[in-house]
Amino acid sequence: MSLTGNRMELREEDIVKHYPAAFALLEGFDHAPRIAAGGAAPVAERSSGIGTRRRFRSTTPGLAGRSVARPEGVRLLERIESAEAEDPLVSPRQAAVMGALRRALAVALAMGEQVSEATGLDGLKRANLEGALPADRKADFGALLTAEALVVLHVCANTLAYLLAPHLGEVTVEPGEVEEILTDNAPLALHGMLWELDQDIAALGTDEARLVAVVAGFAEKVMEKVAARAATAPRLEAFTSAAWRVEADDLTLQGFTPATKARGSVLSMAFKKPHEVVGNHIAKYQAMKLAKMLMAYDFERRLNPFAELGGFIFTFMGDGAPGTGKTTLIQMMAGLLNDYCQAAGYPFRYQNFGIDNIDSYQGKSGQNAKAFIQNVLDPGVIGFGTIDDIDQIAGKRGDRQSSAGQQEVTAVFMEAFAGANTVVRGNCTFGMFSNYPENVDDALRQRAGARFLVDGPQTREDYIDILALLLGKKHDIPLGAHELFAAQEIKRAVAASFEGHGRPKEAGLLAVWEQVEDRLGRLDTIAKLGAYLKAIQQADPRFTGRAIKNITDAVKVRAMDFELPDAWMEEPERFLFKDYDTKAAMIAELRQPITVEMVVQEINRYADSEFRYADKSDEVAIEAMVRDFGRQDEAKRRYLEGKG
């Protein structure tokens, strides 16, 4: 084991020495289930004349003559071979599963050994075997055994899922809930896990494609269950306080977080250049800034200086009328990130969560949402996740018209975006887009840390620019007296847009503003600004403490109101490839002071959006009630006519 900062290395020799023990577990052991129900599932029958014994003999001392005829025995190697009952030879996929299992078990056993040494558990084990364990250490001994079992289980499942990722095909299999999670000690924990895996393979792994899907899906389920247990378990600091590196597999184990292959998406979308996004000045400017912010992420430290210094946008809401440019904005930001990552050699992953991810099968929509979140959160990539038409995808809580799948998705997104376990590393961002944000659950919408008003072209110049852009160049119509795309010059347009928020735009908020300003005068102190916020809350009770946090985050973004120079993106060694502390210092030098004008503008920007959503929501509700009353009147009229 070697140590570099908070990175620990699991040496290859420490892993390989556990191969014999790992192979022995795969060849066979006995286990009587303690939690899960059910007995050993039968091995699939083979055609007449084809032997059912293993095609190679164990060379592990003491196991060569072992009988495997007992029905209660768990024999995973034989179970894997039976996935293709008609073929007496082990296929490459079957061999890959066997190899991944042996490797995962060996890594887990090596990790357990390191944790045991670091915590002193190895000494307590020896004392216990000798009958010399002090009475006052028994409780600590039990806690450490449980901690070791949780670590070994999660590392085994994590490594297994990681190693099998390249072998997954289009086939998907959904294993049931994992039950046989035993934490008395590490050996028993592995026995329980492998026993249940054997059951799942027998029931679901009917061919080699499904075999890989079953084993990978089972590993994901184990990680989820073990991570939940570990959240309240003590004595895990020796494992969670460091990142553990397995160099031969390019694998980094970081606590109870799944390690996925750092592979980027192959994008086929049509990217847009910034000048092709007409209007939407603030949204375009913030998207361009955010793309460069993401590139400051430090893969070694697994943290972004912007996330630590303040001003990083983890979630944002883009709203506007249909046809105002939300899709174009996504194409622009994804294109910028794709180009920056290609120049730096970073893996980039873009993923969209759409309406097709809502499934009628109970629980599947939530699982799809969790998979989407985990793929984008992967600390080994630069991630960009979008949720288009979120008002159709995530249901309002308590809304009887929302499906169970929509409610599941809402719960997953709320926990992921601002839950107790949310960790913002600064390697990814999530954008929620909607034509009707008033239909999004209030609590979910307020988890959007920034608001991008996507209002499309507004000025005469904007409409000339978009007409010229969409017509293309295959015509002879003269441009006329107009400087093409000059109005899209970002800094000038953004400055004008921000200044426009010096006063509120929505009528309801403007009334609150004028009342407070008449009473207190110019809002130029924290006390006066706080009084304004309270007056807003009295006008709209949904304006809570989370809204204040989002506003202050937006102010911090304004303090970072600068674009990282294009040269830093084009020549990565000037910024991207520098160490974390150097990057943080370079960013800090560019930071601007926070002003009263910034705070006022961000309060008004955010509150305007909330009042706009509330007004639309109320208007929709009123229109629905009017329609209902009209139906009732018509029903009464027809009823009375029928009686008469």
Side-chain angles (χ1 to χ4, degrees):
M1 178 183 66
S2 64
L3 173 65
T4 306
N6 67 337
R7 290 171 63 90
M8 311 285 283
E9 182 184 358
L10 275 180
R11 296 181 304 182
E12 189 64 17
E13 55 265 34
D14 291 332
I15 296 171
V16 171
K17 74 178 183 182
H18 290 287
Y19 274 2
F23 181 79
L25 284 169
L26 296 176
E27 190 171 47
F29 62 88
D30 296 337
H31 178 76
R34 293 171 49 180
I35 300 176
V43 176
E45 280 191 19
R46 300 191 180 217
S47 300
S48 176
I50 298 177
T52 57
R53 296 188 63 189
R54 290 188 38 73
R55 295 178 232 7
F56 52 87
R57 179 176 173 155
S58 171
T59 57
T60 306
L63 289 176
R66 176 183 173 84
S67 169
V68 292
R70 289 173 297 189
E72 71 273 17
V74 178
R75 303 182 295 278
L76 265 172
L77 292 179
E78 187 173 334
R79 181 74 72 197
I80 293 167
E81 290 173 8
S82 70
E84 289 287 352
E86 298 302 318
D87 192 343
L89 295 177
V90 176
S91 71
R93 269 187 168 179
Q94 288 171 308
V97 173
M98 293 177 179
L101 274 166
R102 185 182 72 161
R103 180 71 176 177
L105 285 166
V107 171
L109 291 169
M111 180 66 74
E113 187 176 69
Q114 298 294 347
V115 170
S116 182
E117 289 178 4
T119 59
L121 176 58
D122 54 348
L124 294 178
K125 287 179 181 178
R126 288 192 296 271
N128 187 55
L129 287 173
E130 296 166 0
L133 182 66
D136 61 349
R137 297 301 305 276
K138 287 184 178 179
D140 193 38
F141 181 49
L144 287 170
L145 285 174
T146 297
E148 183 192 28
L150 290 170
V151 169
V152 166
L153 281 174
H154 196 277
V155 168
C156 183
N158 205 352
T159 307
L160 183 59
Y162 179 87
L163 294 176
L164 286 180
H167 301 281
L168 287 169
E170 297 299 319
V171 176
T172 59
V173 178
E174 195 63 43
E177 185 71 18
V178 178
E179 297 176 328
E180 195 72 357
I181 299 294
L182 309 175
T183 58
D184 302 52
N185 56 65
L188 183 62
L190 290 176
H191 281 193
M193 183 187 72
L194 295 176
W195 173 86
E196 192 156 2
L197 176 59
D198 181 60
Q199 301 287 305
D200 280 356
I201 293 175
L204 303 170
T206 52
D207 56 53
E208 63 174 38
R210 290 175 64 84
L211 167 70
V212 179
V214 167
V215 178
F218 176 81
E220 298 284 350
K221 293 280 189 182
V222 171
M223 281 192 283
E224 187 176 326
K225 194 77 172 271
V226 172
R229 293 269 191 95
T232 57
R235 306 306 304 271
L236 290 165
E237 297 81 7
F239 173 61
T240 58
S241 61
W244 299 80
R245 179 74 179 165
V246 183
E247 198 62 44
D249 300 314
D250 190 25
L251 168 64
T252 300
L253 301 166
Q254 191 130 14
F256 292 91
T257 302
T260 52
K261 276 283 187 186
R263 294 177 296 176
S265 306
V266 178
L267 297 182
S268 57
M269 70 166 63
F271 297 139
K272 300 293 184 182
K273 298 297 183 184
H275 74 270
E276 296 177 289
V277 180
V278 177
N280 299 324
H281 301 302
I282 293 180
K284 177 166 67 173
Y285 179 57
Q286 289 187 315
M288 292 169 65
K289 280 175 54 181
L290 181 53
K292 291 182 177 180
M293 279 184 181
L294 284 166
M295 295 304 297
Y297 176 69
D298 189 274
F299 284 88
E300 182 72 20
R301 186 77 66 90
R302 296 203 165 194
L303 184 64
N304 193 318
F306 281 104
E308 187 175 44
L309 295 170
F312 181 77
I313 301 172
F314 180 55
T315 52
F316 63 91
M317 170 76 78
D319 73 277
T324 50
K326 290 182 291 297
T327 301
T328 306
L329 194 71
I330 293 171
Q331 292 170 324
M332 181 203 78
M333 186 168 168
L336 289 173
L337 283 167
N338 185 69
D339 293 346
Y340 295 157
C341 285
Q342 283 190 351
Y346 292 166
F348 171 53
R349 184 175 298 160
Y350 168 77
Q351 191 164 346
N352 181 64
F353 191 89
I355 194 67
D356 56 326
N357 293 110
I358 305 298
D359 200 289
S360 58
Y361 180 75
Q362 187 174 1
K364 183 63 176 175
S365 301
Q367 291 168 0
N368 290 343
K370 286 182 182 178
F372 161 72
I373 294 292
Q374 290 299 327
N375 285 341
V376 178
L377 284 175
D378 181 0
V381 303
I382 301 296
F384 180 30
T386 56
I387 309 156
D388 210 358
D389 295 323
I390 190 169
D391 53 284
Q392 298 182 39
I393 291 167
K396 276 189 174 182
R397 290 168 299 170
D399 183 355
R400 287 176 293 180
Q401 294 182 342
S402 296
S403 70
Q406 289 173 308
Q407 296 290 337
E408 292 169 13
V409 167
T410 299
V412 170
F413 287 163
M414 286 179 62
E415 175 62 25
F417 295 157
N421 298 318
T422 302
V423 177
V424 179
R425 299 182 184 278
N427 68 302
C428 65
T429 189
F430 292 90
M432 299 176 276
F433 294 87
S434 175
N435 296 327
Y436 306 100
E438 67 276 5
N439 292 336
V440 180
D441 186 272
D442 288 342
L444 176 57
R445 188 178 66 242
Q446 289 173 4
R447 277 162 165 75
R451 304 296 171 89
F452 293 4
L453 176 58
V454 186
D455 52 1
Q458 297 291 311
T459 66
R460 168 184 170 276
E461 288 76 13
D462 286 344
Y463 275 90
I464 296 172
D465 286 343
I466 195 169
L467 176 63
L469 178 68
L470 297 179
L471 277 177
K473 297 181 179 179
K474 294 183 179 180
H475 62 81
D476 297 322
I477 303 174
L479 177 61
H482 176 74
E483 187 179 347
L484 196 61
F485 302 129
Q488 311 312 317
E489 199 278 313
I490 196 71
K491 289 185 179 178
R492 184 178 65 185
V494 167
S497 295
F498 277 131
E499 288 171 6
H501 290 284
R503 287 176 63 85
K505 297 179 182 297
E506 296 296 315
L509 182 61
L510 182 59
V512 176
W513 165 273
E514 290 175 345
Q515 179 187 5
V516 174
E517 196 174 41
D518 288 344
R519 181 163 51 91
L520 300 178
R522 183 172 178 268
L523 304 184
D524 55 3
T525 67
I526 290 178
K528 292 179 180 180
L529 292 168
Y532 179 39
L533 291 170
K534 175 59 180 174
I536 296 172
Q537 185 271 330
Q538 289 174 328
D540 184 355
R542 289 172 291 190
F543 199 79
T544 63
R546 186 178 296 280
I548 311 305
K549 181 184 183 304
N550 290 338
I551 289 167
T552 55
D553 285 346
V555 171
K556 292 173 185 175
V557 171
R558 292 284 300 280
M560 298 289 186
D561 198 7
F562 54 83
E563 268 198 89
L564 298 179
D566 289 335
W568 290 8
M569 303 294 118
E570 296 163 1
E571 303 171 43
E573 62 279 355
R574 296 181 63 173
F575 174 73
L576 300 181
F577 292 169
K578 293 189 180 296
D579 63 86
Y580 179 88
D581 293 331
T582 302
K583 284 191 285 193
M586 293 171 72
I587 291 168
E589 288 180 1
L590 298 174
R591 187 161 45 183
Q592 300 180 21
I594 293 173
T595 65
V596 170
E597 289 73 23
M598 282 185 192
V599 179
V600 168
Q601 290 165 7
E602 292 307 322
I603 291 174
N604 287 336
R605 269 207 329 132
Y606 189 93
D608 266 334
S609 68
E610 283 298 307
F611 273 73
R612 186 170 64 250
Y613 302 153
D615 289 346
K616 286 184 180 178
S617 183
D618 291 344
E619 187 60 33
V620 168
I622 291 168
E623 289 177 359
M625 291 178 71
V626 169
R627 285 196 300 271
D628 288 342
F629 289 149
R631 291 190 190 104
Q632 289 178 16
D633 290 342
E634 180 64 17
K636 287 178 182 177
R637 185 186 65 78
R638 294 185 188 182
Y639 174 74
L640 293 173
E641 286 180 356
K643 284 191 71 174

